[in-house]
């Protein structure tokens, strides 16, 4: 049994907050998968057996039965899956969770919470019931989209954060943060505060994450890699700094990361999940 994966872009105005809605069912390629920190947030409604998440090497794995909400992370997350998993979820833009959260995003930074902690037990139980009895993945994604439309709230400062994040994204994180607050016409303190409330991290940290993501996606594990070229392209003066940043984000050295990616490619060629998660070391 492989993995069934269905995804689609939501309709406006959700498309300004969300990259896609997805349905995932089947046997994961590995019992434990590592998600490198990307400039994105995640909302999962779980419909199968509980899964577990470790949000940092020094922390125990925590069980999530009803699903979870993950704001833009600063370190790798390790997911432990049951033999069969089934869920619907949302890949969210860094600022996109804010209109759906009852708390500031910074409270969730590297601390994933259950769906119940975000939307309350009755609402989540009812949503999971409706999803479980829906007629196939497409209807499930429509139900999830309707729930998000219903819950969409105003978030103060969202326009500012969204515009500034757009500049950070467009430059791949290679932007002077001081210039961003000047361009936005606000103080750097105000901008950082808004980012922490709505994204969970400062603009500087988000830029670092975009830079790291661009670097990781520039690696083709099927080809020989020129590390000094890659480090230079990512804006690092030398490979030592580059290696340090890589370990800070993934917990792996660059060469180990590529070995793990190659293992995934070798063992699961053409897998729907390739390139995003990694087998946990």
């Amino acid at each position: 049994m492989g993995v069934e994966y269905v995804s689609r872009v939501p309709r406006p105005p959700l498309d300004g907050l969300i990259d896609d809605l997805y349905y995932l069912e089947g046997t994961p390629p590995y019992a434990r998968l590592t998600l490198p920190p990307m400039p994105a947030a995640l909302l999962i409604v779980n419909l199968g057996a509980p899964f577990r998440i470790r949000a940092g090497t020094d922390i125990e794995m925590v069980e999530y039965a009803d699903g979870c909400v993950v704001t833009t992370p600063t370190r790798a997350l390790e997911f432990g899956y049951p033999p069969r998993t089934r869920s619907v979820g949302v890949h969210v833009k860094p600022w996109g969770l804010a209109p759906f959260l009852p708390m500031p995003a910074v409270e969730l930074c590297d601390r994933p919470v259950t769906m119940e902690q975000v939307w309350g037990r009755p609402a989540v139980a009812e949503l999971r019931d409706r999803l479980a009895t829906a007629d196939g993945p497409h209807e499930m994604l429509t139900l999830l989209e309707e729930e998000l439309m219903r819950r969409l709230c105003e978030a103060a400062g969202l326009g500012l954060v969204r515009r500034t994040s757009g500049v950070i994204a467009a430059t791949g994180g290679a932007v002077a943060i001081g210039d961003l607050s000047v361009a936005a016409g606000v103080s750097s303190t105000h901008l950082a505060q808004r980012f922490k409330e709505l994204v969970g991290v400062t603009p500087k940290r988000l830029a670092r994450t975009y830079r790291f993501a661009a670097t990781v996606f520039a690696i083709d594990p099927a080809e020989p890699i020129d590390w000094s070229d890659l480090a230079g392209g990512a804006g690092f003066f030398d490979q030592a700094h580059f290696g340090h940043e890589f370990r800070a984000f993934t917990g792996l050295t660059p060469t180990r990361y590529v070995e793990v990616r190659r293992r995934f490619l070798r063992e699961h060629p053409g897998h729907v999940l390739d390139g995003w998660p990694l087998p946990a070391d």
Side-chain angles (χ1 to χ4, degrees):
M1 167 72 194
V3 171
E4 184 183 3
Y5 185 84
V6 178
S7 84
R8 72 153 190 254
V9 174
R11 65 183 192 269
L14 292 178
D15 60 345
L17 303 167
I18 288 166
D19 287 324
D20 70 349
L21 308 154
Y22 71 86
Y23 169 83
L24 176 70
E25 181 180 13
T27 305
Y30 302 95
R32 285 173 29 247
L33 287 168
T34 300
L35 292 179
M38 291 289 149
L42 190 58
L43 182 150
I44 301 171
V45 183
N46 189 40
L47 302 170
F51 54 81
R52 301 189 317 285
I53 304 176
R54 189 202 313 274
T57 47
D58 48 347
I59 303 171
E60 291 293 299
M61 284 200 112
V62 177
E63 192 166 274
Y64 294 80
D66 67 359
C68 69
V69 172
V70 178
T71 55
T72 305
T74 71
R75 52 172 81 183
L77 296 169
E78 187 186 309
F79 276 73
Y81 288 101
R84 276 186 66 76
T85 191
R86 186 169 188 248
S87 60
V88 291
V90 192
H91 292 120
V92 189
K93 296 176 191 293
W95 59 87
L97 273 181
F100 307 104
L101 292 179
M103 71 283 277
V106 71
E107 288 181 19
L108 310 190
C109 184
D110 295 327
R111 285 196 293 272
V113 290
T114 63
M115 285 300 302
E116 182 186 320
Q117 286 168 284
V118 176
W119 287 351
R121 183 176 292 183
V124 175
E126 192 217 344
L127 175 62
R128 288 173 79 209
D129 277 350
R130 281 189 294 137
L131 288 166
T133 54
D135 187 20
H138 293 284
E139 190 183 316
M140 291 163 93
L141 297 184
T142 300
L143 284 171
L144 182 58
E145 186 176 35
E146 285 166 359
E147 182 72 21
L148 291 163
M149 286 293 289
R150 254 202 314 278
R151 289 183 171 276
L152 192 56
C153 292
E154 284 296 311
L158 188 63
L160 166 71
V161 167
R162 192 172 153 178
R163 282 191 303 277
T164 309
S165 298
V167 177
I168 294 172
T171 60
V175 62
I177 304 303
D179 296 350
L180 292 174
S181 53
V182 172
V186 296
S187 72
S188 55
T189 313
H190 178 81
L191 191 64
Q193 192 56 42
R194 279 285 186 243
F195 262 75
K196 279 157 86 171
E197 283 167 19
L198 303 183
V199 179
V201 294
T202 63
K204 188 174 183 178
R205 182 72 213 202
L206 185 64
R208 238 181 102 184
T209 307
Y210 268 107
R211 274 203 311 278
F212 174 77
T215 307
V216 167
F217 286 128
I219 296 171
D220 180 354
E223 296 293 322
I225 295 153
D226 182 336
W227 289 112
S228 59
D229 195 46
L230 198 69
F236 290 94
F237 299 116
D238 58 39
Q239 275 176 259
H241 278 100
F242 175 70
H244 180 77
E245 184 79 342
F246 215 98
R247 275 196 304 279
F249 271 97
T250 63
L252 303 172
T253 63
T255 44
R256 182 72 192 127
Y257 168 83
V258 172
E259 281 169 15
V260 174
R261 279 288 306 276
R262 284 178 176 153
R263 176 186 160 196
F264 198 124
L265 277 175
R266 200 169 54 243
E267 294 175 0
H268 299 277
H271 198 283
V272 293
L273 297 180
D274 175 50
W276 176 231
L278 299 164
D281 231 14

